[in-house]
């Protein structure tokens, strides 16, 4: 049986006898990529954050210290963290609220052409450049922009001005206020909430909804006790996207919004012009820690029990 | 007798498909009613019309005399045991059973106690803390039953509840469902495509074909006196005799049915019909022998203790008076 076989046949026989060999061959390159390049650089970053900078010479002091992390707690730096986290949380919550009905409709009712239209509608914005979209929003939200013009047209400028007059989140126009930053974040990351949510809702069997109704559950009770718990892993997955993407973004708040910094901008500034690599690294660790805490709490609360 | 569920000229059409077509029937309270038919005959749609997951295209479904068209499923006095059980995978067995009480607002202590009582009724005491995924098919079936019964429904709907169980378990559950129905005294409406199940469990059987009821009656009625060729064939594979063959066999010139087990071997001179043996199938308790009578084929069931005539043998057939049943329709 063994003599005179082709090399390819011998190789495939060897794989058949040693199934793990094939797995090893297939997984080694991506694992090297992930392990060395990705995890490795992450660790390097983590190490950097434990160094400090000498304030007089501007040189990095390669001694392990928590001094840089203490810097994060200075009011000016801590404000950046707080601002970014609040923004990420609001974007995530509002995105979840907006995405749910869309995802539910797509999962439960859309068929054939409507489903194709749904996917196209959700994905199409992702096909165009992120920068183009953000600049487009800057124009839309500007004082002379189409949104202001439309609000004027329906005679609601008083309402808009009242919103813009709000402290902190207001501003002289939407494009230079936190509301504007929020709207752009919401728009740009919404598909990342809708798609995992829709996938999760699609996996909730219809007969469970019928069973809930049959047992006396009103639609709102079915939503609360059956649909939400079963779709929760998908909602969490979507929220991981919107939350972490907002935490790390440095372009949107730079183009649309007040001039106050977000974490991404702080990292950009400290590793670039300021040359303070340790502080940049410490800032970069913040989103990682926040996400880790978020996932830990979600797991503790049983968000992944339905998986 | 009170009528539990009444169909008054009910139709349910899906586009051009007439899933249920002008069905009228009255199901009495306290009975065990079976809807029997092949898949696609409309029996499950009828069940869903009672539970409220489908609404009639025409006609009225009345539950205890009340028109139900505008009553949503959650406000109907009926509960369902679903075909694949539809247990909530994220809830424990106890919380599954207590679900109906939870949505009604019963406090936690009381509903958990009621759930435990129901689990005891279906012989699953001690399983409350498990998740449905940790149970066998038969156990899930019992949980589904307990979950439906905890609401004390006036009508229990069962959609092919035994379909996924193996033969031994199925037979045991048939007995149990039957005795449970007697003990609780509530109306059971049962959908099945298994004629043996329908005959052994139900007091009354409705046979469905192509969206319509072709016959309603006691199991004996359905089995011994089928109205149509479809019923004769579907319920227990009776021999269907053409009018010509029925006349030769000594009956009226009309479509007739003759049960395989009613036929016995006879000497040619005493036989009502004669034919040639073309094959034998051994089924354990009986041998099913096919006999060619002229151009027609008849099946006879001979007890396995009896010697079977060889293929090609000429044999005479006879049966007791009255066994040849003349059908009302084609």
């Amino acid at each position: 049986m063994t003599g005179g076989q082709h090399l390819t046949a011998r190789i495939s026989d060897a794989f058949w006898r040693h199934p793990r060999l094939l797995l090893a061959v297939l997984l080694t390159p991506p694992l090297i990529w992930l392990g060395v390049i990705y995890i490795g650089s992450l660790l390097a970053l983590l190490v950097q954050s434990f160094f400090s900078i000498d304030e007089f010479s501007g040189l990095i002091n390669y001694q392990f210290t928590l001094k840089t992390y203490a810097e994060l707690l200075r009011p000016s730096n801590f404000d950046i963290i707080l601002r970014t986290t609040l923004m990420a949380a609001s974007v995530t919550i509002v995105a979840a609220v907006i995405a749910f009905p869309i995802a539910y409709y797509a999962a439960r009712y859309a068929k054939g052409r409507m489903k194709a239209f749904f996917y196209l509608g959700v994905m199409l914005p992702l096909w165009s450049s992120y920068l183009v979209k953000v600049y487009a929003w800057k124009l839309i939200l500007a004082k002379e922009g189409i949104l202001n013009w439309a609000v004027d047209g329906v005679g609601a400028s008083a309402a808009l001005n009242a919103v813009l007059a709000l402290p902190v989140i207001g501003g002289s126009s939407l494009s230079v206020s936190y509301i504007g930053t929020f709207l752009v974040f919401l728009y740009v990351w919404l598909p990342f909430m809708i798609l995992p949510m829709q996938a999760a809702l699609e996996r909730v069997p219809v007969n469970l909804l019928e069973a809930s109704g049959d047992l006396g559950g009103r639609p709102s009770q079915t939503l609360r006790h059956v649909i939400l718990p079963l779709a929760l892993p998908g909602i969490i997955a979507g929220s991981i996207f919107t939350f972490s993407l907002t935490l790390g973004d440095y372009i949107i708040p730079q183009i649309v919004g007040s001039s106050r910094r977000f974490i991404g901008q702080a990292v950009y500034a400290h590793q670039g012009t300021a040359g303070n690599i340790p502080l940049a690294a410490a800032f970069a660790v913040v989103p990682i820690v926040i996400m880790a805490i978020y996932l830990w709490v979600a797991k503790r609360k049983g968000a992944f029990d339905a998986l | 007798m009170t009528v539990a569920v009444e169909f008054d000229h009910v139709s349910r059409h899906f586009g051009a498909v007439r899933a249920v077509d002008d069905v009228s029937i009255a199901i009495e309270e306290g009975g065990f009613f079976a809807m029997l038919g092949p898949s696609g005959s409309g029996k499950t749609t009828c069940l869903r019309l009672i539970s409220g997951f489908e609404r009639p295209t025409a006609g009225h479904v009345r539950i205890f005399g009340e028109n139900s068209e505008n009553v949503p499923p959650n406000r109907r006095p009926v509960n369902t045991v679903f075909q694949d059980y539809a247990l909530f995978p994220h809830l424990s067995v106890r919380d599954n059973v207590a679900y109906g009480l939870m949505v009604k607002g019963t406090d936690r202590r009381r509903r958990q106690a009621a759930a435990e009582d129901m689990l005891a009724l279906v012989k699953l005491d001690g399983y409350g803390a498990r998740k449905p995924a940790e149970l066998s098919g038969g156990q899930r079936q019992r949980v589904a039953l307990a979950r439906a019964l905890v609401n004390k429904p006036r009508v229990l709907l069962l959609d092919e509840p035994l379909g996924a169980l193996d033969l031994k378990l199925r037979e045991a559950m048939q007995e149990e469902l039957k005795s449970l129905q007697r003990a609780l005294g509530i109306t059971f409406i049962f959908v099945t495509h298994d004629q043996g199940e329908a005959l052994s469990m139900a007091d009354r059987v409705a046979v469905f074909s192509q969206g319509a009821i072709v016959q309603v009656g006691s199991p004996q009625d359905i089995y011994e006196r089928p109205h149509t060729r479809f019923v004769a064939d579907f319920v227990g594979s009776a021999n269907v005799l053409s009018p010509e063959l029925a006349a030769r066999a000594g009956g009226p010139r009309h479509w007739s049915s003759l049960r395989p087990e009613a036929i016995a071997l006879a000497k040619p001179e005493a036989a009502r019909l004669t034919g040639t043996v073309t094959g034998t199938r051994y089924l354990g308790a009986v041998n099913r022998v096919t006999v060619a009578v002229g151009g027609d084929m008849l099946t006879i069931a001979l007890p396995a203790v009896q010697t079977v005539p060889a293929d090609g043998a000429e044999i005479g057939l006879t049966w007791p008076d009255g066994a040849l049943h003349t059908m009302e329709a084609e």
Side-chain angles (χ1 to χ4, degrees):
Chain A
M1 287 298 271
T2 47
Q5 277 180 337
H6 285 291
L7 184 63
T8 49
R10 290 231 299 278
I11 292 174
S12 90
D13 286 1
F15 281 144
W16 180 78
R17 282 194 297 272
H18 309 283
R20 278 161 191 279
L21 187 65
L22 179 61
L23 209 61
V25 168
L26 288 174
L27 287 184
T28 306
L31 280 179
I32 288 174
W33 174 264
L34 202 70
V36 176
I37 309 206
Y38 182 71
I39 307 276
S41 51
L42 209 61
L43 286 176
L45 178 81
L46 195 67
V47 169
Q48 294 274 343
S49 68
F50 287 103
F51 298 150
S52 62
I53 196 154
D54 189 305
E55 280 165 35
F56 298 107
S57 64
L59 295 173
I60 294 169
N61 180 2
Y62 296 98
Q63 294 257 305
F64 280 112
T65 171
L66 289 173
K67 204 179 118 201
T68 311
Y69 280 101
E71 290 243 334
L72 285 182
L73 298 177
R74 282 214 324 239
S76 62
N77 288 336
F78 194 72
D79 276 357
I80 294 176
I81 295 172
L82 202 64
R83 180 180 304 134
T84 313
T85 310
L86 283 176
M87 177 63 80
S90 355
V91 168
T92 299
I93 291 166
V94 176
V97 171
I98 295 177
F100 190 85
I102 300 172
Y104 190 80
Y105 167 79
R108 187 67 66 225
Y109 300 106
K111 297 266 175 334
R113 291 173 80 94
M114 271 318 286
K115 196 135 196 161
F117 182 75
F118 159 80
Y119 278 116
L120 207 64
V122 174
M123 308 279 273
L124 202 59
L126 298 177
W127 296 358
S128 63
S129 157
Y130 163 86
L131 271 178
V132 169
K133 283 184 290 184
V134 177
Y135 275 108
W137 270 100
K138 190 182 175 68
L139 294 179
I140 291 169
L141 297 174
K143 212 174 188 74
E144 306 78 20
I146 188 164
L147 193 69
N148 244 341
W149 172 80
V151 167
D152 234 15
V154 297
S157 351
L160 181 63
N161 287 334
V163 171
L164 285 175
L166 290 171
V168 187
I169 60 167
S172 67
S173 85
L174 281 173
S175 65
V176 295
S177 69
Y178 282 134
I179 300 175
T181 321
F182 168 81
L183 288 174
V184 180
F185 270 133
L186 189 62
Y187 168 80
V188 171
W189 305 143
L190 195 59
F192 296 93
M193 181 62 94
I194 295 177
L195 291 174
M197 220 181 220
Q198 185 253 350
L201 286 168
E202 209 144 73
R203 284 173 51 199
V204 178
V206 184
N207 66 3
L208 295 186
L209 312 187
E210 291 188 345
S212 172
D214 184 77
L215 292 164
R218 294 188 303 274
S220 60
Q221 290 174 313
T222 303
L223 177 70
R224 171 148 181 260
H225 297 295
V226 180
I227 299 174
L228 282 182
L230 290 174
L232 201 56
I235 298 171
I236 299 286
S239 72
I240 291 170
F241 283 126
T242 55
F243 199 71
S244 63
L245 287 169
T246 311
L247 279 182
D249 194 87
Y250 69 103
I251 296 185
I252 289 171
Q254 194 176 320
I255 297 173
V256 179
S258 74
S259 55
R260 277 163 295 213
R261 277 180 184 170
F262 282 70
I263 289 179
Q265 292 167 286
V267 173
Y268 183 74
H270 283 297
Q271 65 86 37
T273 45
N276 191 345
I277 298 286
L279 188 57
F283 261 118
V285 167
V286 172
I288 299 173
V289 172
I290 292 175
M291 286 314 296
I293 293 171
Y294 176 61
L295 288 180
W296 179 73
V297 171
K299 185 162 166 43
R300 281 287 299 267
K301 295 272 178 203
F304 306 112
D305 287 2
L307 277 181
Chain B
M1 264 288 192
T2 318
V3 172
V5 177
E6 187 190 358
F7 280 63
D8 181 4
H9 295 286
V10 173
S11 295
R12 178 68 177 98
H13 298 170
F14 297 98
V17 181
R18 293 157 177 249
V20 172
D21 202 22
D22 196 26
V23 164
S24 291
I25 191 176
I27 299 170
E28 282 170 0
E29 189 180 14
F32 202 131
F33 191 90
M35 295 180 171
L36 173 66
S39 55
S41 60
K43 57 194 192 307
T44 296
T45 307
C46 276
L47 203 73
R48 293 172 62 82
L49 285 163
I50 303 172
S51 56
F53 299 125
E54 297 290 348
R55 299 176 71 188
T57 314
H60 302 283
V61 177
R62 293 190 193 95
I63 301 173
F64 292 102
E66 266 184 66
N67 268 344
S68 64
E69 282 90 80
N70 297 317
V71 183
N74 54 309
R75 289 201 281 109
R76 296 188 182 203
V78 302
N79 285 117
T80 307
V81 176
F82 289 84
Q83 183 166 17
D84 38 12
Y85 319 139
L87 299 179
F88 304 119
H90 59 298
L91 299 180
S92 69
V93 165
R94 188 184 300 114
D95 287 343
N96 261 284
V97 176
Y99 189 88
L101 300 176
M102 191 260 295
V103 293
K104 278 192 199 74
T106 311
D107 70 73
R108 190 176 175 79
R109 281 256 301 287
R110 282 232 309 265
R111 68 179 192 246
Q112 301 245 318
E116 288 296 345
D117 288 350
M118 274 299 147
L119 285 172
L121 183 73
V122 297
K123 300 179 191 140
L124 277 180
D125 340 42
Y127 283 82
R130 299 201 191 179
K131 286 283 177 73
E134 299 169 61
L135 302 183
S136 71
Q139 290 168 334
R140 283 181 216 175
Q141 216 274 320
R142 287 155 191 269
V143 175
L145 194 60
R147 185 178 69 172
L149 288 174
V150 82
N151 285 332
K152 306 206 184 309
R154 297 182 71 184
V155 177
L156 184 72
L157 308 175
L158 302 108
D159 187 6
E160 305 251 9
L162 308 179
L165 306 180
D166 60 57
L167 183 65
K168 202 86 189 156
L169 206 52
R170 198 155 62 215
E171 285 174 350
M173 277 310 290
Q174 287 178 11
E175 300 262 334
E176 261 180 66
L177 280 179
K178 186 76 192 153
S179 59
L180 201 58
Q181 191 267 330
R182 283 207 198 94
L184 297 170
I186 61 175
T187 315
F188 276 34
I189 301 176
F190 185 94
V191 159
T192 182
H193 64 264
D194 181 328
Q195 46 92 10
E197 212 162 85
L199 296 182
S200 70
M201 295 169 77
D203 321 316
R204 263 157 63 81
V205 179
V207 184
F208 280 74
S209 173
Q210 295 175 357
I213 292 177
V214 283
Q215 188 171 358
V216 187
S218 71
Q220 289 79 7
D221 276 343
I222 302 284
Y223 190 75
E224 289 162 19
R225 291 175 289 281
H227 283 184
T228 69
R229 289 155 65 187
F230 172 81
V231 178
D233 183 51
F234 185 73
V235 183
S237 339
N239 291 301
V240 174
L241 280 65
S242 65
E244 295 70 37
L245 187 60
R248 270 175 59 201
R253 182 171 286 274
H254 207 285
W255 286 97
S256 302
S257 74
L258 185 57
R259 306 234 54 98
E261 65 276 10
I263 307 175
L265 299 181
K267 292 200 170 67
E269 58 274 17
R272 295 179 192 253
L273 282 176
T274 55
T276 315
V277 174
T278 61
T280 299
R281 268 196 310 146
Y282 173 66
L283 297 177
V286 294
N287 283 298
R288 280 183 99 85
V289 181
T290 38
V291 182
V293 178
D296 296 286
M297 295 302 246
L298 291 184
T299 303
I300 63 177
L302 297 178
V305 289
Q306 213 173 314
T307 38
V308 179
D311 285 5
E314 290 288 324
I315 57 168
L317 306 173
T318 189
W319 50 84
D321 291 336
L324 183 68
H325 166 70
T326 306
M327 291 188 283
E328 293 172 13
E330 245 185 62

